């Protein structure tokens, strides 16, 4: 099927739906663009009073993008590039935000830091999450070490999981079937299966939610030249319980188990191999909250354990444990002055096992007695909202690290809002710092580790403006400049001996981020963002200079919506190990543009939704990662049912 035929089919489907729903068009509800954001202050603030431009992915957005992973959805945001989302389902993910790396992006789940202390970058693997269990996402870019500590250098991704409904009993089912193949295949076999079920509700003062999710994806090789497909198999179990002891005291607790098994190939020689990566994550947490006059105290406690195993020619096992306690006191002096005082405690440890040359049994290579550290950070933050338009968000945090002593990070974020007859105009500025702790792997790995490593330090300057046209549009433009020193790199010290070392050179990343959210008519919504990123050559790996995302929704009626999504990625540079010279070669990856579309319709008294998605509509043949497979045109159909 050529591009013209596909495009005509889409127009035909759109025309059919338009004719069917035209009668109901006048009943479409106006969706206000006013937002409440949390991540930049840990308070619920109106967007106009926030000194940051925060990307908010709502539950409605997630419904429109059903059948896609959390990493895919996040990668459509301004300033965000996640490599691996359009490759084989088990492909490792690399996070590039404002020229940064995985270790400079902090992920929160329900406001609590999540990391994997056994990873080289101490980052969180988004492949462990099931999109059906997520309610909304906020992305706060820039150095946010004041509120969130080490690792929050280029962005904080706050993922809010679904809560129990107010009904006594609620059942949610979702099923998606789809294809999974490269651009040069045309069999369109069903190879992608995604299912989830959730029961939840409220019984008096008690709330409960239990959910299960499963994904099995096959049909696509990990490497582009592979002849054998590599499967991805993931399971997710999540339990959340809440009890309101009184009007002042609420107790919330949760437990979750996430697992995936990902087949992968030999990326060294770029050939098929029967390799597997197995990851298990266990998380439990307790979060009591006490409300008092003008304030509240919340204590978020969480324990997580990760078990990873790599089955290949170089088998390894990793175990990691992390304990987080974040005690937060929120106090409102009045409607203009909000304060936070908190203490964040983290304890991380890891161990690893390898099979030494000539042996058949695993032997411990990194001991948890050595590979561990604790962090204890007191922090404060204030938000001031004046009567004349000036808003100030400022704070400081003292990082107390068991290996590195104390480091102060701080931020100052003034903004000014001018109310107008059509909405408001807002100007904003931020200067903030961040502190990135070396991972336990970088410190203690016996062959490459370096216990003399120093923490990375970042400084970020942001200047921006936002225009809000009431009930019509919000347009923002932000300039950022990030300065980085003591960058940790994997260095060839000579004679093919490599080690993690700090680089004395300072690096700079700068750019512009444009975001447009517009309600063109009652039925048509436009979401557009464009990013220009300029980074020093040392940091430019896989980062496009220009990236554009556009989503256009047409709401035929209260029940039916049709949308198209376009993404353009500029050319990038990748690095490939040359097995002849034993050095890394730089290769250029061509720019590409991808067009997707989706369609959904509510039936049976709005309790069931049918949806369809086509990704890479024109079957664009391109490379996301050099030498690795990339998905061609994909078709998925599914339904969600709420009882």
């Amino acid at each position: 099927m050529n591009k013209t035929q596909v495009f005509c089919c889409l127009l035909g489907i759109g025309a059919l739906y338009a004719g069917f729903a035209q009668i109901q068009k006048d009943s479409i509800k106006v969706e206000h663009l006013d937002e409440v954001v949390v991540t930049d202050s840990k308070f619920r603030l109106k967007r106009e009073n926030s000194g940051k431009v925060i990307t908010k992915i709502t539950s409605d957005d997630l419904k429109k993008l059903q059948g896609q992973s959390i990493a895919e959805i996040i990668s459509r945001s301004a300033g965000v590039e996640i490599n691996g989302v359009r490759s084989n389902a088990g492909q490792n993910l690399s996070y590039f935000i404002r020229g940064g790396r995985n270790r400079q992006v902090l992920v929160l789940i329900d406001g609590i830091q999540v990391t994997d202390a056994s990873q080289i970058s101490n980052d969180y693997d988004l492949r462990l999450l099931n999109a059906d269990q997520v309610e909304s996402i906020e992305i706060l870019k820039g150095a946010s070490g004041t509120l969130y500590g080490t690792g929050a250098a280029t962005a904080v991704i706050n993922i809010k999981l679904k809560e129990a409904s107010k009904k006594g009993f609620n059942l949610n089912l979702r099923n998606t079937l789809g294809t999974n193949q490269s651009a040069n295949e045309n069999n369109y076999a069903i190879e992608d299966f995604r299912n989830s079920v959730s029961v939840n509700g409220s019984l008096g003062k008690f709330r409960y939610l239990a959910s299960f999710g499963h994904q099995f994806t096959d049909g696509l090789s990990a490497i582009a030249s592979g002849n054998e497909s590599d499967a991805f198999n993931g399971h997710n179990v999540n339990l959340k319980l809440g009890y309101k002891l009184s009007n002042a005291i609420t107790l919330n607790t949760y437990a979750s188990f996430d697992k995936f098994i990902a087949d992968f190939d030999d990326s060294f020689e770029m050939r098929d191999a029967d390799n597997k990566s197995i990851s298990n994550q266990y998380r439990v947490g307790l979060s009591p909250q006490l409300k008092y006059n003008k304030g509240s105290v919340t204590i978020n406690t969480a324990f997580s354990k990760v078990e990873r195993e790599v089955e290949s020619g170089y088998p390894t096992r990793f175990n990691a444990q992390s304990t987080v306690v974040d005690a937060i006191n929120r106090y409102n002096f009045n409607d203009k002055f909000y304060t936070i005082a908190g203490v964040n405690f983290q304890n991380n440890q890891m161990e690893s096992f390898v099979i030494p040359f000539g042996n058949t049994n695993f032997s411990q290579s990194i001991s948890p007695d050595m590979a561990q550290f604790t962090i204890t950070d007191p922090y404060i933050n204030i938000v001031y909202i004046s009567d004349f338009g000036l808003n100030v968000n400022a704070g400081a945090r003292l990082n107390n690290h068991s290996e590195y002593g104390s480091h102060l990070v701080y931020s100052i974020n003034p903004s000014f809002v001018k109310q107008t007859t059509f909405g408001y105009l807002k100007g904003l500025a931020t200067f903030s710092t961040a502190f990135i702790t070396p991972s336990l792997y970088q410190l203690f790995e016996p062959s490459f580790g370096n216990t003399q490593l120093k923490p990375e330090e970042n400084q970020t300057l942001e200047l921006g403006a936002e225009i809000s046209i009431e009930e019509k549009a919000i347009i923002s433009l932000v300039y950022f400049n990030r300065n980085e020193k003591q960058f940790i790199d994997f260095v060839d010290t000579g004679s093919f001996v490599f080690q993690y070392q700090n680089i004395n050179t300072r690096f700079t990343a700068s750019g512009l981020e444009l975001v447009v959210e517009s309600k063109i008519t009652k039925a048509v919504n436009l979401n557009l963002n464009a990013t220009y990123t300029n980074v020093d050559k040392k940091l430019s790996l896989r980062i496009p200079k220009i990236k554009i995302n556009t989503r256009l929704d047409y709401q035929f009626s209260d029940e039916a919506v049709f949308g198209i999504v376009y993404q353009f990625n500029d050319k990038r540079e990748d690095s490939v190990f040359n097995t002849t010279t034993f050095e890394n070669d730089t290769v250029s990856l061509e720019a590409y543009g991808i067009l997707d579309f989706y369609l959904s319709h509510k039936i049976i008294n709005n309790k069931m939704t049918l949806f369809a998605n086509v990704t890479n509509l024109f079957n664009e043949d391109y490379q996301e990662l050099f030498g690795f497979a990339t998905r061609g045109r994909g078709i998925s159909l599914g339904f969600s049912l709420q009882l």
Side-chain angles (χ1 to χ4, degrees):
M1 186 178 289
N2 61 36
K3 295 183 180 181
T4 303
Q5 289 172 319
V6 172
F7 193 65
C8 289
C9 287
L10 284 179
L11 287 179
I13 293 172
L16 179 64
Y17 259 83
F20 174 76
Q22 188 67 36
I23 296 174
Q24 303 177 60
K25 189 172 179 180
D26 292 337
S27 67
I28 295 173
K29 297 176 182 177
V30 175
E31 180 183 335
H32 294 276
L33 292 176
D34 291 342
E35 289 182 5
V36 173
V37 294
V38 177
T39 309
D40 67 328
S41 65
K42 294 190 177 181
F43 281 99
R44 291 176 58 84
L45 295 176
K46 287 184 178 181
R47 176 169 176 162
E48 64 185 81
N49 294 329
S50 170
K52 291 280 191 175
V53 175
I54 296 179
T55 299
K56 187 162 185 177
I57 303 170
T58 66
S59 59
D60 287 339
D61 294 326
L62 294 173
K63 288 175 183 177
K64 293 171 183 176
L65 301 172
Q66 293 177 97
Q68 299 185 28
S69 70
I70 288 299
E72 284 180 272
I73 294 167
I74 291 173
S75 191
R76 300 181 187 279
S77 305
V80 178
E81 169 65 13
I82 301 182
N83 279 171
V85 296
R86 293 188 178 275
S87 301
N88 175 278
Q91 177 66 48
N92 290 330
L93 301 176
S94 299
Y95 316 145
F96 302 105
I97 301 179
R98 291 188 170 181
R101 297 290 187 267
N102 290 39
R103 62 179 177 267
Q104 297 160 324
V105 178
L106 183 65
V107 176
L108 312 176
I109 296 182
D110 288 335
I112 303 171
Q113 299 105 317
V114 286
T115 60
D116 179 356
S118 72
Q119 295 276 13
I120 294 175
S121 297
N122 196 40
D123 56 333
Y124 180 78
D125 193 337
L126 288 172
R127 292 177 296 175
L128 287 163
L129 277 176
N130 188 304
D132 291 347
Q133 296 174 340
V134 175
E135 175 68 24
S136 63
I137 304 168
E138 285 188 358
I139 303 171
L140 169 64
K141 293 186 291 292
S144 304
T146 298
L147 280 176
Y148 298 106
T150 180
T154 61
V156 173
I157 301 173
N158 189 5
I159 299 169
K160 186 178 185 300
L161 300 184
K162 290 180 178 178
E163 300 285 349
S165 70
K166 295 181 179 180
K167 294 169 55 178
F169 177 81
N170 200 60
L171 173 66
N172 296 279
L173 301 170
R174 184 173 296 173
N175 176 269
T176 307
L177 302 176
T179 64
N180 186 54
Q181 61 194 32
S182 64
N184 56 20
E185 295 177 293
N186 57 10
N187 58 348
Y188 295 100
I190 303 299
E191 299 280 8
D192 189 26
F193 306 85
R194 306 184 190 216
N195 307 280
S196 66
V197 58
S198 169
V199 291
N200 60 87
S202 300
L203 302 171
K205 297 181 179 180
F206 177 69
R207 302 191 311 275
Y208 66 93
L209 180 147
S211 61
F212 170 79
H214 175 240
Q215 175 187 352
F216 179 80
T217 304
D218 204 354
L220 186 65
S221 172
I223 59 172
S225 59
N227 296 313
E228 297 178 352
S229 64
D230 295 295
F232 177 87
N233 194 359
H235 296 82
N236 307 86
V237 180
N238 185 38
L239 176 67
K240 299 178 77 172
L241 303 173
Y243 188 76
K244 192 171 184 179
L245 297 172
S246 67
N247 290 333
I249 302 175
T250 303
L251 183 63
N252 297 299
T253 185
Y254 67 87
S256 66
F257 170 69
D258 307 285
K259 176 179 182 176
F260 71 75
I261 302 174
D263 295 345
F264 67 97
D265 291 326
D266 185 344
S267 59
F268 184 76
E269 297 186 1
M270 285 297 172
R271 59 180 177 83
D272 284 322
D274 294 327
N275 299 333
K276 290 184 184 295
S277 174
I278 304 168
S279 288
N280 296 293
Q281 174 188 246
Y282 309 84
R283 296 180 62 241
V284 294
L286 183 67
S287 180
Q289 183 181 74
L290 169 66
K291 293 182 179 180
Y292 62 92
N293 185 31
K294 294 187 177 182
S296 67
V297 176
T298 304
I299 303 176
N300 292 320
T301 61
F303 173 80
S304 63
K305 181 178 180 180
V306 176
E307 299 170 347
R308 294 192 296 120
E309 181 172 357
V310 177
E311 297 179 358
S312 69
Y314 303 92
T316 53
R317 292 177 180 171
F318 300 91
N319 297 319
Q321 293 185 140
S322 177
T323 301
V324 177
V325 180
D326 194 16
I328 309 166
N329 181 65
R330 297 177 176 88
Y331 187 79
N332 297 9
F333 284 94
N334 48 50
D335 292 338
K336 298 179 177 57
F337 197 54
Y338 304 80
T339 64
I340 279 188
V343 177
N344 183 261
F345 170 82
Q346 295 184 54
N347 178 275
N348 294 326
Q349 69 176 51
M350 70 158 291
E351 62 178 335
S352 67
F353 301 85
V354 299
I355 298 179
F357 181 76
N359 292 9
T360 57
N361 297 321
F362 279 97
S363 176
Q364 189 179 70
S365 57
I366 301 178
S367 167
D369 295 332
M370 177 178 293
Q372 63 175 321
F373 59 66
T374 60
I375 304 174
T376 307
D377 300 349
Y379 62 95
I380 58 172
N381 201 77
I382 62 169
V383 175
Y384 172 68
I385 301 174
S386 72
D387 291 327
F388 55 90
L390 176 66
N391 304 315
V392 179
N393 186 338
R397 186 184 193 106
L398 185 64
N399 295 99
N400 296 294
H401 195 284
S402 59
E403 297 291 326
Y404 300 111
S406 299
H407 287 75
L408 179 69
V409 295
Y410 58 91
S411 67
I412 178 71
N413 172 213
S415 60
F416 188 83
V417 180
K418 174 66 175 177
Q419 300 295 333
T420 67
T421 56
F422 57 80
Y424 66 80
L425 299 173
K426 179 169 68 174
L428 58 93
T430 305
F431 183 79
S432 51
T433 64
F435 162 90
I436 304 99
T437 303
S439 70
L440 291 170
Y441 186 93
Q442 291 170 330
L443 289 168
F444 300 108
E445 204 285 328
S447 299
F448 315 121
N450 181 1
T451 57
Q452 302 304 309
L453 284 174
K454 298 177 182 179
E456 294 180 356
E457 296 182 16
N458 276 209
Q459 294 180 343
T460 299
L461 172 68
E462 295 174 275
L463 299 170
E466 183 173 275
I467 301 173
S468 174
I469 304 173
E470 189 174 354
E471 299 182 14
K472 293 293 184 182
I474 294 179
I475 303 169
S476 64
L477 180 65
V478 174
Y479 165 79
F480 67 88
N481 185 289
R482 184 173 64 86
N483 187 277
E484 184 171 333
K485 67 178 182 178
Q486 296 178 178
F487 177 78
I488 297 174
D489 201 3
F490 194 54
V491 177
D492 184 353
T493 61
S495 302
F496 303 107
V497 176
F498 291 81
Q499 187 183 48
Y500 291 102
Q501 293 186 357
N502 293 103
I503 305 300
N504 291 328
T505 307
R506 287 176 176 262
F507 299 109
T508 301
S510 60
L512 292 168
E513 296 167 352
L514 170 70
V515 178
V516 178
E517 303 172 31
S518 176
K519 181 170 283 296
I520 299 173
T521 69
K522 288 183 178 181
V524 179
N525 288 297
L526 172 68
N527 287 271
L528 179 147
N529 64 71
T531 306
Y532 169 77
T533 306
N534 183 34
V535 295
D536 290 337
K537 192 172 181 61
K538 190 73 176 179
L539 301 178
S540 65
L541 180 72
R542 300 178 186 170
I543 299 176
K545 263 196 173 178
I546 297 175
K547 185 172 182 179
I548 300 172
N549 296 283
T550 305
R551 191 181 90 222
L552 187 68
D553 300 327
Y554 180 41
Q555 189 84 36
F556 296 108
S557 67
D558 290 340
E559 291 77 31
V561 62
F562 171 85
I564 57 174
V565 180
Y566 177 75
Q567 183 179 91
F568 171 79
N569 265 33
D570 202 2
K571 61 183 180 181
R572 294 93 53 225
E573 289 187 346
D574 206 346
S575 181
V576 182
F577 185 75
N578 189 315
T579 56
T580 302
T581 63
F582 298 102
E583 295 181 352
N584 288 327
D585 294 337
T586 299
V587 296
S588 181
L589 303 180
E590 293 300 317
Y592 66 89
I594 300 296
L595 184 68
D596 305 336
F597 96 96
Y598 57 86
L599 179 69
S600 68
H601 195 286
K602 296 178 181 178
I603 61 174
I604 313 178
N605 298 322
N606 291 337
K607 293 185 179 296
M608 175 179 278
T609 300
L610 304 178
F611 56 87
N613 296 276
V614 178
T615 57
N616 194 358
L617 179 64
F618 294 129
N619 205 30
E620 183 81 11
D621 190 4
Y622 64 99
Q623 291 187 92
E624 184 184 29
L625 303 167
F626 183 81
F628 290 89
T630 305
R631 298 198 308 269
R633 183 185 296 119
I635 302 171
S636 63
L637 302 171
F639 74 88
S640 61
L641 177 65
Q642 180 175 330
L643 299 174

